[in-house]
Amino acid sequence: MAYNEKLADRVREVLADIPNVEEKKMFRGVTFMVNDKMCVSVSGDELMLRLDPELTEQLTEENGTRPMVHGGKHMKGFIYISEERFRSKKDFDHWIQLALEFNPKAKSSKK
């Protein structure tokens, strides 16, 4: 599945001044790693965010969001956001900020 390049460009724009950002092809799209940790992905027309696991249940009860499911299990700390939830710059920035705020606390994947 191809990912939305315009959406990826929006993410690039917001992360332009953040140090240590790297792009990797994964999750059926492009993932933006911050400090060697997954932070934001663009998959199709959706954003996938890594954020505070304590927020997962609350946020996935909202319309336009869903949990990441891996192996039939809901992955706490990872959610998909549909386009309807980030059309405005204010909303878009809010979601990216949630991921950036959690990034310093996130554990790095083993290499």
Side-chain angles (χ1 to χ4, degrees), residues 12-30:
R12 287 181 188 105
E13 185 179 314
V14 172
L15 298 180
D17 295 329
I18 305 292
N20 301 316
V21 175
E22 179 184 1
E23 292 184 34
K24 289 189 177 188
K25 300 281 184 181
M26 57 195 302
F27 298 114
R28 301 175 309 157
V30 62

Side-chain angles (χ1 to χ4, degrees), residues 4 44 57 73 103:
N4 183 325
E57 189 173 329
K73 181 181 175 192
N103 187 264

Side-chain angles (χ1 to χ4, degrees), residues 18 20 33 49 59 61 72 104:
I18 305 292
N20 301 316
M33 309 286 287
L49 306 175
L59 292 174
E61 290 175 357

